[in-house]
Amino acid sequence: QVQLVESGGGLVQAGGSLRLSCTASGRTFSNYAMGWFRQAPGKGREFVAAIGWSGGSTRYADSVKGRFTISRDNGKKTVYLQMNMLKSEDTAVYYCTAARTIAAMWSLESYWGQGTQVTVSS
């Protein structure tokens, strides 16, 4: 099974940038689609971005398209989320997820990290 650990969160001013990392353990990493979700206080978990196992297929939520970039390095078993032009509404706990397909990220057949806090001040 896959174990995921996020890092890179923190406090940043609006308009600034952060780069989140999610490192996986396990030999099956390269066979999984990877993604990022976020959850703000009082809200449900929201899809942010996803990337296929090859790294060539990506999807983004409309709210982050053009500002965030997801990438992966299978050699390092790591997926990244580069966040630029951050807004106060981006404040949330960001979770890394792994699933056999991107669609499966919305099901119970997925793995999740513990999350990393991103706070954007205005």
Side-chain angles (χ1 to χ4, degrees):
Q1 297 183 348
V2 178
Q3 296 176 326
L4 305 171
V5 179
E6 302 96 334
S7 64
L11 176 65
V12 64
Q13 295 183 20
S17 298
L18 283 174
R19 188 194 192 198
L20 305 183
S21 298
C22 173
T23 299
S25 63
R27 298 178 181 178
T28 60
F29 172 81
S30 62
N31 294 325
Y32 282 79
M34 305 293 296
W36 292 91
F37 285 67
R38 66 188 182 186
Q39 187 165 18
K43 296 184 178 180
R45 191 164 294 189
E46 174 191 23
F47 170 74
V48 177
I51 187 167
W53 66 267
S54 68
S57 178
T58 58
R59 296 182 183 180
Y60 297 93
D62 289 341
S63 60
V64 306
K65 191 171 296 183
R67 300 187 299 119
F68 291 9
T69 302
I70 188 170
S71 62
R72 67 189 294 166
D73 185 335
N74 288 345
K76 296 181 178 180
K77 297 183 178 180
T78 301
V79 62
Y80 305 95
L81 185 68
Q82 178 66 47
M83 305 184 295
N84 299 323
M85 300 295 292
L86 283 162
K87 306 174 181 179
S88 60
E89 52 262 45
D90 294 319
T91 296
V93 176
Y94 283 71
Y95 297 91
C96 176
T97 187
R100 294 194 177 278
T101 66
I102 292 176
M105 295 177 183
W106 282 263
S107 75
L108 297 178
E109 303 298 323
S110 59
Y111 299 94
W112 296 88
Q114 295 301 307
T116 185
Q117 177 71 49
V118 172
T119 303
V120 183
S121 63
S122 59

